[in-house]
Amino acid sequence: IVWSAHGPYAMSGKVDGKTYTTRTAALDACVQAPKCLGFTQSAYNKYTLNSSKTKTKTAGNIAYVKHGHAKVSEAYMWQEFSGVALKGAASKTTYASFALATKACIANSACKGVTYLSAKKFQLNSSKTRVTTKGQMCW
């Protein structure tokens, strides 16, 4: 899962009303809670899970925002989006693996991302615009 830290900010919306004493405990709890979109570390090093990504400037706090899953390939981090595909083909060629597709994407200046179409079929895309699909995912 990809996280970003924002200070000095707090997030809004409480998930479970619990207070966690370590960042690791808050991370683990947030990953397990479907409604958790991140957590806030207070100035007193206490952590609460949040159900909203809305941030408010708050001295001494750090907001940790959950962004989803990612893969590393060719020394780049590729954020994963399930149930969507990217618009526009950057090439007519399809690739048999994520690794081959991301390597080709990096080498192709028109490539803005990669879409998994079906088993052993990955496409390079010329747009970052996502469209809802069934059974596909993109990076």
Side-chain angles (χ1 to χ4, degrees), residues 47-63:
Y47 302 82
T48 55
L49 306 187
N50 302 110
S51 59
S52 171
K53 289 186 178 182
T54 302
K55 297 183 295 291
T56 306
K57 200 167 204 162
T58 309
N61 285 12
I62 301 173

Side-chain angles (χ1 to χ4, degrees), residues 15-61:
V15 170
D16 59 10
K18 294 180 184 176
T19 300
Y20 298 86
T21 57
T22 68
R23 184 171 50 207
T24 300
L27 280 165
D28 290 343
C30 190
V31 167
Q32 298 302 315
K35 291 183 181 179
C36 186
L37 299 179
F39 60 93
T40 298
Q41 175 183 346
S42 75
Y44 306 104
N45 290 321
K46 301 294 181 191
Y47 302 82
T48 55
L49 306 187
N50 302 110
S51 59
S52 171
K53 289 186 178 182
T54 302
K55 297 183 295 291
T56 306
K57 200 167 204 162
T58 309
N61 285 12

